[in-house]
Amino acid sequence: MSAAHVSSDDIRDQFSKAMSAMYQQEVPQYSALLSLVAAVNEEVLAASPALRETLAANNALERLDVERHGAIRVGTPEELALLRRMFAVMGMLPVGYYDLAPAGVPVHSTAFRPVDDAALSRNPFRIFTSLLRLELIEDTELRQQAREILDARRIVTPQAEALIETFERQGGLTADQAAQFVDQALETFRWHDQATVDLVTYQRLQQEHRLIADVVCFKGPHINHLTPRTLEIDEVQRRMPQVGIDPKAIIEGPPRRRCPILLRQTSFKALEEPIAFADAAQGHHTARFGEIEQRGIALTHTGRALYDRLLGEAKQAAEAENAAHQARLAAVFEAFPDDEATLRREGLAFFHYHAIPGAQVAAPVDEGDVERLLAQGALTATPMTYEDFLPVSAAGIFQSNLGDNGQSGYAQDANQQQFEQALGVPVTDEVALYAKRQQASLDQALAQLTGNGGANEPGFFQ
């Protein structure tokens, strides 16, 4: 990238803010949600100066205000591959593979997001992107009709596609080109209140599954929801009705903890929006909603296996009401350590390591000395934020906003190979990525402590 080019981080930051502004205009309740989350976050920080200081020290305070994730659904491998190239302009790579078919949602997904520490600190914008699994539509005629409808549409404007090609050819975009790209890329995700099909086709697809109708019947993959990050999701859930927002019944994910893990999510229920059909019939479509998330520490394979086992135990006696559900979760999750030192020592979670400024130790030191250096105060470890998603939680959010009709089961194995073939590249394994970031931070910290601070600089994803 030349000096004349705008960084991908800057383009992503511009785009995420433009997307948020657009969605506030399209869905006023999202604006109310942002205000509620901002108020709760400020109250939490005011009540806990230590938390504010920790977030500020780790460059996490500024990102809290801009942090968003969105969700979209595409219909064909060609659409998915084209969006991969679009998101690459913004420094967003496909991380993780999620199969939602076992939960009755006929898609598999990845998350496009930044991957290195500097980019995540600048703006951790993520787009959870799902590809419709047309092969799961049992009705052969309906499946073929859906494929033909999707093949006839173009979800990216010619100008945006040209700018993607310019980025790939030049290795970057100028400031003017970046501004044009943001404007044109936004069009892919805009809501259209006119369906591309007639009412009968829409109804047939909706009877198969509401999500299929949402993917197939419109001009493009309108942004399905945007999600601000809160520091206290239980309080946001409690207050949502006070500002005219109807929340889903259950907060998805782990229970409330002293050391939050992974991801907790809730949402307000999808809006019923008027649409016109291609045959001039009038009707309504329900798909778009608002979501809130609270992020905790990323877990290792060992930690995730424990989480999955405990979540499975809790769901054996699932509760329909949130307070009872959270109480059940909390009781089961007493088996999951809830302090940072134990999470670190037992290899359950990932951490960033930092050398204390001015601290020096005699060489050589290795990873076996980490606990001693932490105890001596020469080294610190801070929790690594979980940047990804949970398939069970994602399915729960989707289902709560799709209604009960058409929730058929899909007896189909996950097919990551099929997804990656459509995508055009392998997805990055998220746990391996956390491990690599942790190791890089430890290598750099140990090098600094022994006077070799120039060695082992993290930069493996530049």
Side-chain angles (χ1 to χ4, degrees):
M1 183 178 295
S2 77
H5 293 156
V6 177
S7 74
S8 291
D9 291 346
D10 286 341
I11 299 174
R12 182 177 66 259
D13 188 56
Q14 292 174 33
F15 179 80
S16 69
K17 290 173 179 174
M19 177 85 86
S20 185
M22 181 185 77
Y23 201 61
Q24 286 183 69
Q25 290 181 335
E26 292 182 350
V27 182
Q29 276 194 324
Y30 168 68
S31 184
L33 189 67
L34 289 181
S35 297
L36 174 59
V37 168
V40 170
N41 285 350
E42 187 51 45
E43 290 174 16
V44 171
L45 292 171
S48 179
L51 175 60
R52 184 189 292 272
E53 184 177 336
T54 298
L55 292 174
N58 291 290
N59 298 316
L61 200 56
E62 290 184 4
R63 91 169 229 180
L64 180 65
D65 294 331
V66 302
E67 185 158 356
R68 302 285 185 274
H69 92 248
I72 59 170
R73 304 155 180 168
V74 298
T76 68
E78 293 77 16
E79 290 179 349
L80 181 66
L82 181 54
L83 288 188
R84 171 183 59 79
R85 294 169 59 209
M86 175 185 282
F87 291 132
V89 176
M90 297 180 263
M92 299 163 68
L93 303 180
V95 178
Y97 171 76
Y98 306 88
D99 178 37
L100 275 63
V105 184
V107 300
H108 46 183
S109 316
T110 191
F112 289 96
R113 68 168 180 86
V115 294
D116 67 69
D117 290 346
L120 287 164
S121 179
R122 177 75 173 84
N123 188 319
F125 186 57
R126 316 165 187 86
I127 293 285
F128 189 83
T129 303
S130 299
L131 173 64
L132 179 63
R133 299 185 70 174
L134 284 171
E135 75 274 13
L136 298 183
I137 301 177
E138 293 183 358
D139 185 322
T140 304
E141 180 186 350
L142 187 63
R143 182 169 65 245
Q144 181 60 30
Q145 185 180 15
R147 181 175 286 114
E148 291 172 357
I149 293 168
L150 291 167
D151 286 343
R153 73 178 184 179
R154 295 294 177 266
I155 66 171
V156 174
T157 69
Q159 298 95 321
E161 197 161 354
L163 286 163
I164 293 170
E165 293 170 357
T166 298
F167 173 87
E168 292 169 343
R169 185 175 61 253
Q170 294 179 167
L173 297 177
T174 66
D176 286 344
Q177 289 170 338
Q180 294 172 27
F181 170 81
V182 169
D183 288 342
Q184 291 298 315
L186 208 60
E187 293 304 310
T188 295
F189 309 103
R190 192 178 296 280
W191 168 249
H192 298 279
D193 59 8
Q194 292 191 329
T196 58
V197 302
D198 58 41
L199 177 59
V200 171
T201 301
Y202 173 84
Q203 289 174 335
R204 287 188 67 201
L205 290 165
Q206 189 179 50
Q207 286 167 4
E208 174 70 22
H209 197 290
R210 286 192 181 188
L211 184 142
I212 296 174
D214 184 59
V215 175
V216 174
C217 297
F218 294 90
K219 184 178 179 180
H222 41 257
I223 189 73
N224 201 256
H225 64 263
L226 279 182
T227 307
R229 179 180 172 187
T230 183
L231 298 171
E232 181 49 85
I233 199 168
D234 300 274
E235 183 63 14
V236 174
Q237 175 90 350
R238 186 185 71 81
R239 291 193 199 179
M240 284 167 72
Q242 299 174 11
V243 294
I245 298 175
D246 185 17
K248 72 183 293 292
I250 298 294
I251 296 175
E252 302 285 348
R256 181 187 181 95
R257 291 164 46 89
R258 290 189 300 275
C259 297
I261 58 173
L262 297 173
L263 176 67
R264 304 181 73 201
Q265 294 173 278
T266 189
S267 71
F268 65 71
K269 294 179 181 178
L271 308 175
E272 187 177 79
E273 301 180 272
I275 57 171
F277 294 95
D279 58 355
Q282 302 294 311
H284 290 85
H285 182 68
T286 304
R288 300 195 301 160
F289 56 96
E291 187 177 298
I292 313 99
E293 65 183 20
Q294 181 173 356
R295 291 188 172 270
I297 189 170
L299 299 184
T300 63
H301 281 302
T302 303
R304 183 59 183 271
L306 177 58
Y307 169 80
D308 288 340
R309 178 174 66 80
L310 294 176
L311 186 67
E313 290 180 17
K315 287 195 174 288
Q316 290 174 11
E319 302 285 351
E321 191 271 326
N322 191 56
H325 174 73
Q326 296 302 324
R328 167 71 178 166
L329 276 177
V332 172
F333 270 80
E334 287 181 2
F336 203 113
D338 199 11
D339 66 277
E340 290 181 9
T342 305
L343 291 173
R344 187 188 69 251
R345 284 196 298 264
E346 295 188 2
L348 297 172
F350 290 108
F351 289 80
H352 284 290
Y353 290 94
H354 305 276
I356 296 298
Q360 290 285 304
V361 298
V365 294
D366 58 31
E367 294 181 26
D369 297 311
V370 167
E371 290 301 322
R372 175 177 61 81
L373 294 172
L374 287 166
Q376 291 176 349
L379 196 65
T380 62
T382 57
M384 188 177 294
T385 299
Y386 184 64
E387 306 287 354
D388 297 288
F389 298 92
L390 302 171
V392 174
S393 297
I397 294 285
F398 277 22
Q399 289 171 339
S400 71
N401 285 289
L402 289 168
D404 296 327
N405 295 333
Q407 296 299 320
S408 54
Y410 293 98
Q412 183 84 14
D413 292 334
N415 196 333
Q416 184 170 341
Q417 182 179 3
Q418 179 197 62
F419 183 85
E420 291 179 333
Q421 184 176 0
L423 186 66
V425 299
V427 298
T428 297
D429 178 85
E430 66 273 23
V431 177
L433 179 57
Y434 293 119
K436 205 165 189 177
R437 291 171 60 208
Q438 175 175 275
Q439 188 64 49
S441 73
L442 180 58
D443 289 345
Q444 182 180 14
L446 295 180
Q448 289 174 340
L449 288 174
T450 57
N452 298 311
N456 300 312
E457 289 287 343
F460 37 85
F461 282 108
Q462 299 302 323

